[in-house]
Amino acid sequence: MFVAIKEQHKGVDVCINNAGLSHPEPLLSGKTSAWKNIMDVNVLALSICTREAYQSMKERNVDDGHIININSLCGHKVIPFADFHLYTATKYAVTALTEGLRQELRAEKTHIRATSISPGLVATEFISRASSKNPDEVAAFYATTKSLKTKDIASTVTYILSTSPHVQVCAYFQSVWT
Ligand SMILES: NC(=O)c1ccc[n+]([C@@H]2O[C@H](COP(=O)([O-])OP(=O)(O)OC[C@H]3O[C@@H](n4cnc5c(N)ncnc54)[C@H](OP(=O)(O)O)[C@@H]3O)[C@@H](O)[C@H]2O)c1
């Protein structure tokens, strides 16, 4: 993907690590293959894209780039839902990876920024893919549970990209579970 980006657009200035998933596989009974898939996408792919984006910025002397990780409230609090415990571990990893990235960027004396955005529940396809609920149960869940809209997350990303270089934004969204 990064080779194709280089050919078509020269490189990456902003990387938003959004891809993420979960499977309803609790810690006491879940399938190893499902856990590996969650780790691959939520932790490894995010780390690979971060490394490739940084290298792309570095080779083109881009000093005002930005790497934004779409984290979750699950990156800061363990919610009482067994289906999401392995997912929660990967989002805690995203919290650590964002802070580690910030420290490495600082050591490199670059002004490329690292940001983590931690939404609570957002109305997307996430729950229908990640839980064992059937479509009617998912619809009932969203009808009775307060959720953010995707435009709330998009506005947050736009705001963060527009802030001055010295500003560090800490974006947590209130959740029904906190
Ligand atoms: N929805 C929530 O309540 C919520 C709350 C907090 C944080 N988040 C986080 O928000 C991010 C986006 O999730 P979402 O809510 O938009 O869920 P979603 O509707 O299920 O979308 C997930 C996205 O991840 C992509 N993806 C999954 N596996 C992939 C893979 N192997 N390779 C490439 N792309 C892959 C999907 O691409 P395809 O469509 O092509 O499969 C899709 O674009 C995730 O990191 C999630 O953890 C979501």
Side-chain angles (χ1 to χ4, degrees):
M1 181 177 75
F2 282 86
V3 171
I5 291 170
K6 188 173 182 176
E7 284 169 4
Q8 292 172 31
H9 305 287
K10 295 191 180 140
V12 176
D13 292 355
V14 174
C15 171
I16 301 174
N17 286 312
N18 174 67
L21 54 78
S22 186
H23 297 293
E25 304 286 353
L27 299 181
L28 298 183
S29 57
K31 291 190 197 68
T32 307
S33 57
W35 292 349
K36 280 187 172 161
N37 183 227
I38 303 171
M39 298 289 285
D40 276 351
V41 176
N42 297 9
V43 178
L44 272 181
L46 174 143
S47 301
I48 292 166
C49 290
T50 297
R51 179 192 65 208
E52 296 302 314
Y54 170 69
Q55 293 298 335
S56 172
M57 294 174 202
K58 190 178 172 190
E59 74 182 25
R60 292 174 302 116
N61 297 316
V62 171
D63 193 45
D64 58 350
H66 208 135
I67 296 167
I68 298 177
N69 292 330
I70 304 300
N71 197 341
S72 166
L73 274 184
C74 292
H76 310 273
K77 184 179 172 69
V78 181
I79 59 172
F81 293 102
D83 282 356
F84 292 98
H85 284 157
L86 202 284
Y87 170 81
T88 296
T90 67
K91 292 300 188 181
Y92 266 74
V94 172
T95 301
L97 290 166
T98 312
E99 173 58 17
L101 173 64
R102 190 187 70 78
Q103 292 180 14
E104 289 189 33
L105 290 169
R106 193 158 186 257
E108 290 293 313
K109 300 199 186 317
T110 166
H111 295 104
I112 296 166
R113 288 197 277 175
T115 292
S116 169
I117 299 175
S118 297
L121 182 67
V122 190
T124 66
E125 293 175 29
F126 183 83
I127 294 292
S128 60
R129 291 172 166 175
S131 77
S132 42
K133 294 179 191 296
N134 67 41
D136 289 341
E137 290 170 329
V138 172
F141 173 72
Y142 276 118
T144 54
T145 313
K146 204 172 169 187
S147 61
L148 296 158
K149 308 289 173 236
T150 52
K151 66 176 168 48
D152 299 321
I153 313 304
S155 316
T156 306
V157 169
T158 308
Y159 170 71
I160 285 167
L161 287 171
S162 71
T163 54
S164 305
H166 66 280
V167 174
Q168 176 170 320
V169 179
C170 190
Y172 296 91
F173 290 86
Q174 190 65 27
S175 162
V176 286
W177 298 306
T178 56

